[in-house]
Amino acid sequence: MPARDTMLRWIMAGPLALVAAVVTMASMPLWLPVGAAGIDNLIFPILLFPALWAVFFLYALIEARPVRGTAIITAIILTNSALIYSRF
Amino acid sequence: MSMVNQATSKRLLAVHGWSGVLLGLFLYVVIITGTVAVLSQEIGAWSIGGARTQAPFSQPLDAKIKQLAPTVDPKYREDVTIYPNASGTMLVFFHTHGVNAAGDPDDVGVRFLLEPGTLDVVARDEGFGAELPDDRDSALDYFISILHISLHAPNPVGLYLTGLAGFVMLFAVLSGIILHRHLIKDLFVAPRLSSRLLNKRDRHILAGSWSLPFGFLLAFTGTFFSFAGAIGLPIVAMVAFGGDQMKMTETLIGAPEKVSERPADMANLDSMVARSVARTGTQPTFISIAHWGTADAKAYLYHLPTGKAVEASTHVYDMVSGRYQGVKPDLGTRPSLGSSIYAWMGPLHFGHFAGLLSKLIWVSLGLAASYVTLTGLRLWVERRPDMVSGKLLGIAIPMVGYGVPIGLAGSALGFLLTYRTGGSVYGTAFGFVASCAFAVLLAGALVRRGDASAIFLAILGVAMAVLPMVRLATGGPGWPSLIDAGQAVVVMIDLMLLAGGAFALHQSRRGDSIGRQLRADQPAGTTVPAE
Amino acid sequence: MSPVFLFLAATAASLLAVVYLLYTDAKRARVFRLDRRMALPRSARAGWALTFAPGVALLALGELSAFLVWCGAITVLAWLVAARTPIRD
């Protein structure tokens, strides 16, 4: 179904990639090592945000099967959200 | 030997092209203003005819600050920042931290402007940082920097926009690598002259290939600077500090948890500056004193990189004993990987780590990236000669491509003409807006002509070449007196403007090489090879 | 040695190597039908090694600042050199 695939790809590359990047950044301070000065877990997510977004965006375009891609990105969003939720 | 299959490659090319068309001109605006902003300090000095002091921090600041401190509300002595503007006027800001009318965390306090040489107070303003009157001496360089950082749009919208531009550039670079199958093989193939389309394609790809490494670095660091404050900090603060951005900032910069309020006499700041100058071989660019007048007061002297180093350094002095306490990492209280990587972001983006040499190279990298953006757009237009979108973009490219530099020249003109009357903040902005409006009107008037690049280039050339003369005509000092005063940097900007102007005029007369070639050896109707 | 001198020396050396690569580049010669009768011996590998060698040397000396300006300068200069369309000889 090419029409469905195209729509999924738009959703994946647009809102899903951005949300996935934001949520991954938000959960990173919880599991990244704090480092020598206790700030690595805070600065690395902020530093990596552009890269995370670019990776999710590119993945959305490159993934041959949009259904699988959407499922994977959604799973990443849910896992990270659950991680954040569990801390509050 | 493609990295991806054909369907994916087609999809990537489509997004590469469409994102370029929709956001390419916008991206170009961010790149070209950033290219000019690399020299913002030099442009600031140029605009006011050279700073009036070579070593602003080596003036007797200590006595002056001790005289000013008791005149401000004690709560504003929590933090004192001291830095010079383009003319060498010292800005001394006694402040504490609060939330301004817009609801953003901001500094609030009293700011003094001290005249270079005498250190007499020329202005005293009180309020939030965002509400203090703009500094007239630095109006031009500040205007250009903010244009690059946030396009003068309100925060955080402006930062989102420039961050988006950075992201588009990041994607363009990454997809460019994936798309161009013969990247290495084609590194030395000059633009072919056999057809207009092939020539445009070769130009874009050749410049793009060589620009890949720094295109990536500039886009990545730029996106970081836009999004770090606008998205990263609030979100990470929410997860790690329950939304307390101030607490997170304090943890990041490594502020001590508790400070004593016990009053104490302050040691001599001038002696700390002298020792720091001797240690690093450079003037500090910025000094910050925390907890003035208390037993825990510290002075932080910020120096740009020197020698082999790429990172700037912050030297700490105890304000009670005057003793040197070593170098403070940018983030946190002790050295860490995160802090080291963060310390590289600024130098990599601004290119200010080796003085003028690195700045000039960063300017050329910016020009190369601008060239890649514009040639990419021209290629897209060339592929759609009969479509409305192609025609519209064909008009928009010279309008924006040359219009923004014309606007920047206009802002400089506006500054020069209004500086003596004290209205330079308004004059700079008006000059920019008026010149941009002129470019739009001109594009409208030339709409029937097709490609109006030659006319735009000629106007840009004249505008650039005229600026040094206007500077002299409005009372700016001449070259001999500038060189005598150690302000050769003003002469350098004059020469760059004259050379740039002459180059633009020359290019406008010359036309593009493919056009010449086609006129010379082919009648008409050349074949257009497929991609 | 001052960083500026190191930078200039490294950039000059790399630029020479780039010019060699450009002069001996097979695709460039083919596309522009360049006839190099007295051609240099062709070795792209050696050319690239020579191009990168000054950068490696700067890194080995710990001259990070000079290394970074070298990187920037060489990408721009190499582009400017390569972008000149050769006249058929």
Side-chain angles (χ1 to χ4, degrees):
Chain A
M1 275 188 287
R4 188 201 62 188
D5 283 1
T6 309
M7 198 182 70
L8 275 182
R9 214 179 276 287
W10 273 98
I11 295 172
M12 213 179 9
L16 282 191
L18 180 59
V19 171
V22 169
V23 177
T24 311
M25 170 176 75
S27 87
M28 278 169 99
L30 305 176
W31 49 263
L32 272 183
V34 296
I39 50 101
D40 283 7
N41 65 324
L42 303 175
I43 190 66
F44 275 116
I46 302 180
L47 273 168
L48 288 175
F49 173 71
L52 288 170
W53 192 11
V55 166
F56 285 121
F57 186 77
L58 269 177
Y59 169 69
L61 294 179
I62 289 173
E63 169 63 65
R65 290 159 54 193
V67 178
R68 183 176 61 183
T70 309
I72 289 177
I73 297 191
T74 310
I76 289 171
I77 293 175
L78 291 178
T79 315
N80 282 306
S81 306
L83 211 66
I84 298 165
Y85 185 76
S86 71
R87 286 299 182 99
F88 286 98
Chain B
M1 40 145 257
S2 179
M3 281 190 240
V4 290
N5 67 30
Q6 213 182 353
T8 307
S9 158
K10 223 175 129 187
R11 201 155 51 229
L12 277 176
L13 184 63
V15 180
H16 183 99
W18 277 108
S19 65
V21 168
L22 291 175
L23 296 161
L25 282 175
F26 168 62
L27 169 61
Y28 166 80
V29 174
V30 178
I31 298 178
I32 194 74
T33 51
T35 304
V36 177
V38 170
L39 293 174
S40 66
Q41 200 196 337
E42 287 72 16
I43 290 170
W46 171 85
S47 67
I48 45 126
R52 284 156 65 197
T53 164
Q54 291 260 58
F57 284 97
S58 297
Q59 305 176 87
L61 282 168
D62 183 69
K64 193 71 199 179
I65 289 165
K66 282 181 177 149
Q67 182 197 330
L68 293 175
T71 70
V72 304
D73 190 324
K75 68 177 181 222
Y76 293 155
R77 288 179 217 144
E78 186 188 341
D79 245 322
V80 193
T81 50
I82 309 162
Y83 58 97
N85 72 7
S87 71
T89 298
M90 277 299 191
L91 285 83
V92 180
F93 188 24
F94 288 88
H95 64 270
T96 182
H97 309 279
V99 176
N100 65 20
D104 298 323
D106 198 357
D107 298 337
V108 55
V110 179
R111 188 185 70 184
F112 297 94
L113 267 60
L114 309 179
E115 191 176 61
T118 63
L119 293 183
D120 287 339
V121 175
V122 285
R124 179 190 194 278
D125 299 292
E126 186 162 352
F128 279 100
E131 293 153 6
L132 291 174
D134 284 320
D135 170 15
R136 290 197 300 261
D137 290 342
S138 280
L140 182 61
D141 52 304
Y142 185 73
F143 180 83
I144 295 173
S145 299
I146 300 297
L147 192 60
H148 171 64
I149 294 169
S150 67
L151 307 164
H152 289 276
N155 277 335
V157 178
L159 291 171
Y160 288 159
L161 288 173
T162 51
L164 183 66
F167 181 71
V168 170
M169 183 164 167
L170 200 58
F171 170 72
V173 170
L174 293 174
S175 57
I177 298 174
I178 301 172
L179 281 169
H180 189 31
R181 283 167 308 210
H182 307 297
L183 192 96
I184 304 289
K185 231 190 231 171
D186 283 353
L187 272 178
F188 296 104
V189 179
R192 282 163 276 192
L193 295 172
S194 48
S195 87
R196 198 176 271 275
L197 179 64
L198 193 60
N199 183 265
K200 292 236 149 77
R201 178 188 168 275
D202 286 354
R203 280 177 186 222
H204 177 62
I205 287 183
L206 187 70
S209 302
W210 285 104
S211 299
L212 279 177
F214 278 89
F216 180 84
L217 276 180
L218 295 173
F220 186 86
T221 50
T223 315
F224 163 75
F225 282 119
S226 281
F227 286 149
I231 293 182
L233 192 71
I235 289 179
V236 172
M238 200 148 66
V239 176
F241 294 92
D244 191 345
Q245 289 189 42
M246 211 102 86
K247 181 93 174 38
M248 165 138 172
T249 310
E250 276 172 11
T251 310
L252 275 180
I253 61 173
E257 291 258 321
K258 272 215 175 86
V259 282
S260 134
E261 292 298 318
R262 191 163 51 82
D265 287 333
M266 296 290 93
N268 190 322
L269 184 66
D270 296 341
S271 138
M272 297 172 210
V273 171
R275 279 176 283 151
S276 205
V277 169
R279 178 171 282 115
T280 61
T282 58
Q283 278 272 307
T285 50
F286 186 88
I287 293 180
S288 145
I289 303 169
H291 310 290
W292 176 275
T294 71
D296 284 329
K298 299 251 188 303
Y300 300 92
L301 280 65
Y302 181 85
H303 288 264
L304 285 178
T306 49
K308 294 182 179 190
V310 172
E311 310 98 315
S313 53
T314 304
H315 299 261
V316 187
Y317 290 84
D318 185 301
M319 274 305 283
V320 177
S321 66
R323 263 190 228 110
Y324 180 58
Q325 297 193 316
V327 174
K328 184 200 168 302
D330 283 24
L331 299 177
T333 45
R334 63 185 74 183
S336 65
L337 184 64
S339 179
S340 309
I341 292 178
Y342 172 76
W344 274 68
M345 302 301 277
L348 283 178
H349 192 73
F350 312 128
H352 59 198
F353 54 89
L356 259 178
L357 173 69
S358 58
K359 286 187 192 178
L360 291 174
I361 288 169
W362 253 240
V363 167
S364 63
L365 291 166
L367 289 175
S370 307
Y371 182 86
V372 176
T373 315
L374 286 185
T375 50
L377 288 167
R378 282 193 188 280
L379 174 61
W380 198 87
V381 170
E382 197 67 36
R383 286 212 174 104
R384 291 157 184 80
D386 302 317
M387 283 165 66
V388 179
S389 54
K391 287 215 169 82
L392 280 177
L393 196 60
I395 294 163
I397 292 170
M399 179 180 87
V400 177
Y402 300 118
V404 175
I406 290 172
L408 291 173
S411 69
L413 198 63
F415 179 93
L416 291 174
L417 294 175
T418 52
Y419 179 56
R420 309 272 157 205
T421 65
S424 56
V425 174
Y426 173 75
T428 305
F430 179 78
F432 180 78
V433 174
S435 319
C436 288
F438 166 74
V440 173
L441 290 176
L442 185 69
L446 297 173
V447 101
R448 287 175 180 284
R449 209 191 125 93
D451 192 348
S453 294
I455 295 172
F456 273 105
L457 254 176
I459 293 169
L460 176 61
V462 171
M464 288 175 81
V466 150
L467 282 175
M469 293 161 215
V470 176
R471 189 182 70 73
L472 286 175
T474 51
W479 290 0
S481 57
L482 283 167
I483 289 167
D484 281 347
Q487 295 293 328
V489 68
V490 179
V491 180
M492 181 195 80
I493 298 285
D494 271 349
L495 288 172
M496 285 173 81
L497 284 167
L498 290 171
F503 179 74
L505 283 170
H506 174 70
Q507 286 295 106
S508 104
R509 282 174 59 90
R510 211 166 141 254
D512 65 322
S513 56
I514 179 81
R516 270 200 329 277
Q517 177 85 8
L518 286 175
R519 278 194 295 277
D521 50 58
Q522 277 159 335
T526 47
T527 51
V528 175
E531 176 56 1
Chain C
M1 269 185 292
S2 81
V4 177
F5 174 79
L6 284 171
F7 156 74
L8 288 175
T11 307
S14 292
L15 193 61
L16 268 178
V18 165
V19 170
Y20 163 78
L21 281 169
L22 179 88
Y23 196 75
T24 57
D25 189 69
K27 187 156 180 190
R28 185 179 169 98
R30 193 169 68 238
V31 165
F32 295 104
R33 290 179 220 137
L34 300 171
D35 182 20
R36 303 255 190 250
R37 293 264 159 76
M38 297 186 297
L40 294 165
R42 188 180 288 171
S43 168
R45 200 167 291 177
W48 281 113
L50 283 174
T51 307
F52 285 113
V56 175
L58 288 177
L59 274 185
L61 290 170
E63 295 281 352
L64 288 177
S65 171
F67 170 76
L68 218 51
V69 272
W70 168 83
C71 288
I74 202 66
T75 56
V76 174
L77 290 172
W79 165 53
L80 291 177
V81 170
R84 287 189 66 87
T85 305
I87 302 155
R88 271 170 219 168
D89 42 22

